[in-house]
Amino acid sequence: MNKIIITTSICLTLIISLSSCQQDKKLPFYGERHAETVRDAAGIEKIDTVYQTIPNWSFLNQDSVVTTNKLTDGKVYIADFFFTSCTTICPTMHRNLLTVYNDFQNNPDVMFVSHTIDFKYDKPSALKKYAKKLGVEGPRWTFLYGSKDSIYTIAEKSYLVAVGEDNKAKDGYIHQGYLVLVDKDRHIRGAYDGTKVEQVDQLKKDISILLAEKK
Amino acid sequence: MRKYLISSVFLLAITSIIYSCQSQEKMDLQNYIASGRDIYIAKCQNCHGEKGEGLGELAPPLTDSLFIKANKSRLACFVKNGVNEPLVVHGKEYKEKMPAFPELTNIEVAQVLVFITNSFGNKEGFYSYDQVSADLIDCRK
């Protein structure tokens, strides 16, 4: 009799712990973090973790309209860095990103933000032409143009993607092909190599996990 | 009896020579396709895709067999010198520039073209590197 009780309780514990695991499925937070003392609604002091946050930004979009972080605030978005005349990794990145874009086409809470790092040539009109030729129209995928300083700073300091000019590189620039997953509170929750199909598939799964996280 | 034996050996020799010739050509084709596939993955696949499907209006697909057939002698120039003119593929116009690949040797150009022109639904057969040299001379016409 004792044996039966023990086995049942072990089984129960296992089942409970397994099911709680599933509920807890959460994505990690990337970047630096620090502890901060905050007051909650009742005025009691608490220690809270503050994660790396994408700062306010303001760039021109492909229609030459000033676009700010208001576009993506409260939404999940995928950010990347590219340039239109890039013949190395960008076409593969955007071919793969296009499959993500199509998979979530009925979800307005998933947005795409591509920044050009070619501040000389990729003016908004060039971005507009590129977007059209890629087959992207509408506000869900935005292509952003900014000064060299502003784009390179936000890439390296905020999105943690290395970019740079390089006269020796075939197209004049070097950059990493990361697709950066950002949550509704502007925290980085994932980074995926946009040139690898497996990692892009993982991105699709992680977007769904992020969307399912408690609001 | 002796005569019969000699002639049959002779016949056998001839057949085997012909047969080995054919398989030599076939082997060349297979070798070029194998090497060409690696070059394709390294240099072309970014834009033209794993299945030669192209990328939107940015890069044309490589699946238009009629285009391939009609422009066969210009393909080496496209690869080596790039493309800076509009091309009509599958009835659609593509205006983006294609970069040049001057770093590829003539034999590499031949290999990648044999791969492309015998994949994605194309079936153009063998293309030797001598022919690449000949076609490259005629580029600027």
Side-chain angles (χ1 to χ4, degrees):
Chain A
M1 182 60 196
N2 248 349
K3 236 181 188 168
I4 296 174
I5 291 174
I6 290 170
T7 359
T8 355
S9 58
I10 288 176
C11 279
L12 261 173
T13 337
L14 266 177
I15 290 168
I16 289 167
S17 57
L18 273 178
S19 59
S20 65
C21 272
Q22 270 180 342
Q23 278 176 350
D24 271 358
K25 205 167 185 189
K26 266 188 131 184
L27 299 179
F29 288 87
Y30 281 52
E32 292 183 9
R33 61 187 66 183
H34 63 273
E36 211 167 74
T37 314
V38 291
R39 279 175 195 280
D40 65 7
I44 300 160
E45 279 197 356
K46 281 200 317 193
I47 306 269
D48 206 358
T49 314
V50 178
Y51 298 103
Q52 176 153 337
T53 308
I54 308 293
N56 289 345
W57 49 261
S58 171
F59 299 115
L60 287 183
N61 74 0
Q62 69 267 36
D63 295 314
S64 296
V65 175
V66 176
T67 307
T68 69
N69 48 281
K70 286 211 176 85
L71 178 79
T72 51
D73 280 353
K75 294 177 176 182
V76 165
Y77 73 98
I78 295 104
D80 74 301
F81 295 83
F82 85 112
F83 56 106
T84 61
S85 54
C86 160
T87 56
T88 52
I89 60 173
C90 310
T92 315
M93 266 168 74
H94 278 176
R95 179 196 311 282
N96 291 334
L97 195 53
L98 204 55
T99 68
V100 185
Y101 175 79
N102 289 332
D103 279 12
F104 289 91
Q105 60 179 340
N106 295 321
N107 195 332
D109 284 336
V110 180
M111 306 217 31
F112 298 81
V113 177
S114 293
H115 308 74
T116 178
I117 58 168
D118 185 350
F119 50 92
K120 289 179 200 144
Y121 175 77
D122 280 349
K123 308 289 176 198
S125 59
L127 293 176
K128 178 85 176 172
K129 234 165 74 184
Y130 177 85
K132 190 178 162 280
K133 291 192 169 178
L134 189 65
V136 172
E137 257 167 297
R140 269 198 329 116
W141 192 339
T142 303
F143 295 81
L144 296 178
Y145 169 82
S147 68
K148 178 185 175 186
D149 252 15
S150 58
I151 293 283
Y152 285 32
T153 307
I154 204 168
E156 303 209 335
K157 296 262 159 47
S158 305
Y159 289 108
L160 312 175
V161 176
V163 297
E165 278 182 279
D166 185 354
N167 295 331
K168 278 174 243 130
K170 184 163 182 177
D171 302 315
Y173 298 91
I174 46 162
H175 62 120
Q176 290 178 313
Y178 283 117
L179 306 173
V180 182
L181 179 59
V182 183
D183 71 12
K184 61 179 176 48
D185 300 317
R186 292 198 237 161
H187 301 310
I188 300 176
R189 304 300 293 276
Y192 312 82
D193 186 338
T195 61
K196 300 208 166 73
V197 174
E198 320 83 69
Q199 293 209 20
V200 175
D201 286 341
Q202 188 61 47
L203 167 62
K204 291 175 188 171
K205 286 180 200 151
D206 287 356
I207 291 173
S208 300
I209 295 173
L210 200 53
L211 287 171
E213 270 186 11
K214 276 182 191 148
K215 303 243 158 119
Chain B
M1 180 61 199
R2 200 183 154 82
K3 223 177 186 177
Y4 180 71
L5 204 74
I6 288 172
S7 60
S8 65
V9 166
F10 185 70
L11 248 169
L12 200 77
I14 296 261
T15 356
S16 63
I17 285 168
I18 290 172
Y19 182 76
S20 69
C21 276
Q22 275 181 336
S23 68
Q24 181 59 44
E25 195 173 286
K26 227 177 166 181
M27 257 164 61
D28 276 349
L29 186 71
Q30 293 309 321
N31 285 340
Y32 270 47
I33 288 177
S35 314
R37 180 179 286 118
D38 292 340
I39 300 168
Y40 182 82
I41 291 169
K43 306 280 181 184
C44 319
Q45 192 168 301
N46 298 327
C47 295
H48 291 291
E50 198 184 343
K51 301 182 188 83
E53 74 272 26
L55 179 58
E57 287 173 45
L58 294 166
L62 305 176
T63 51
D64 186 347
S65 301
L66 290 177
F67 177 91
I68 298 269
K69 204 181 252 316
N71 291 281
K72 210 180 166 191
S73 60
R74 297 172 71 202
L75 298 180
C77 302
F78 289 171
V79 173
K80 197 103 170 179
N81 304 332
V83 179
N84 200 0
E85 58 177 302
L87 295 176
V88 178
V89 179
H90 280 312
K92 251 169 82 182
E93 195 176 35
Y94 292 83
K95 292 183 202 153
E96 291 294 302
K97 284 182 200 161
M98 173 174 145
F101 295 90
E103 70 271 25
L104 292 179
T105 61
N106 285 359
I107 190 157
E108 286 171 329
V109 172
Q111 285 166 339
V112 77
L113 286 178
V114 167
F115 170 71
I116 291 168
T117 57
N118 290 284
S119 307
F120 319 131
N122 304 312
K123 214 170 166 55
E124 293 295 317
F126 194 66
Y127 179 64
S128 72
Y129 65 88
D130 295 332
Q131 193 57 47
V132 170
S133 316
D135 286 347
L136 284 177
I137 293 168
D138 295 334
C139 275
R140 304 201 187 282
K141 267 184 187 170

